[in-house]
Amino acid sequence: MKSALITGANKGIGFETAKQLLQKGFYVYIGSRDLKNGLEAVQKLNAEGFNTVEAVQLDVTDDNSVKNAREAIGKKTDRLDVLINNAGINGGAPYTALDAETEQFMAAFNTNVFGVARVTKAFIALLRKSAEPRIVNVSTSVGSLYLQSNPNWLAYDFGKYAVYGSSKAAMNMYTVHLAYELRDTAFKINAVCPGYTKTDFTNHNGGEIEAAGKRIIKYALIGQNGPTGKFFSEETNPETGEIPW
Ligand code: NAP
């Protein structure tokens, strides 16, 4: 049975992604910074008939939490097939380049960039044991430097993404480097935008969460001939899904 760890899977897109991987027969570790919320998420999944799932306390900004989660999962399995770096925040208002305080940038980068690097480094040895390891870094089209600098881009004048977009652009660059470093291995590592989706993150505006989960698991399940080191947003490019960094 293949296994997956999803950060921030107690709710929102992470929770939906967990459900969809369970439907595909995975064993899923629900990363949750508040274990209570993770346990409640597991209960909900159990009530829907999914039993190959457990919660693990995991705050991506906390070295000790990540270390403990790695130890706990390492006791249960000697291999991890999929890592989905999903946990993310917008950093909090104010959001624009000039109005935002350093604290907003630091908070967003701490979770969205350093958190991804911290968790990936901690779990890479377990992922290396998989025959088909996959990493999906959950990104956003508003983290594309190419799109955001285009006056015709739909979010061009959305100044509220200065903090969040900067952090996701940095995470994108991390993804490029990670894919490069693992280019001669079986790893497939991509950045994927789930699309504007109804969750707490968007005050429940946007598209259906099932579509977001589907977009993410596509790259968690991608075959050996699939892409690596690419950026996908099906919402932006419904034809091939690929978008410029
Ligand atoms: P959400 O409903 O707010 O869920 C965010 C998840 O991340 C929650 O489980 C949250 O945990 C967790 N999290 C935040 N900080 C964390 C930390 N330090 N350690 C561990 N977990 C942490 O948001 P969502 O819409 O599902 O977003 C999921 C991902 O999709 C994010 O990376 C976001 O940037 C991306 N995204 C979302 C949209 C959209 O329209 N919704 C669009 C593009 C990209 P708590 O419950 O403890 O807060």
Side-chain angles (χ1 to χ4, degrees), residues 8 10 13 33 58-60 86 139 164 168 195 197 199 201-202:
N10 53 285
I13 293 168
R33 60 178 157 176
L58 204 174
D59 181 336
V60 303
N86 165 77
S139 188
Y164 176 61
K168 290 289 188 176
T197 306
T199 64
F201 200 94
T202 58

Side-chain angles (χ1 to χ4, degrees), residues 98-124:
L98 291 177
D99 290 339
E101 301 296 338
T102 309
E103 286 70 26
Q104 269 80 52
F105 282 103
M106 286 177 70
F109 275 70
N110 202 11
T111 302
N112 301 347
V113 188
F114 312 144
V116 171
R118 182 181 285 113
V119 171
T120 303
K121 192 171 170 63
F123 284 90
I124 201 73

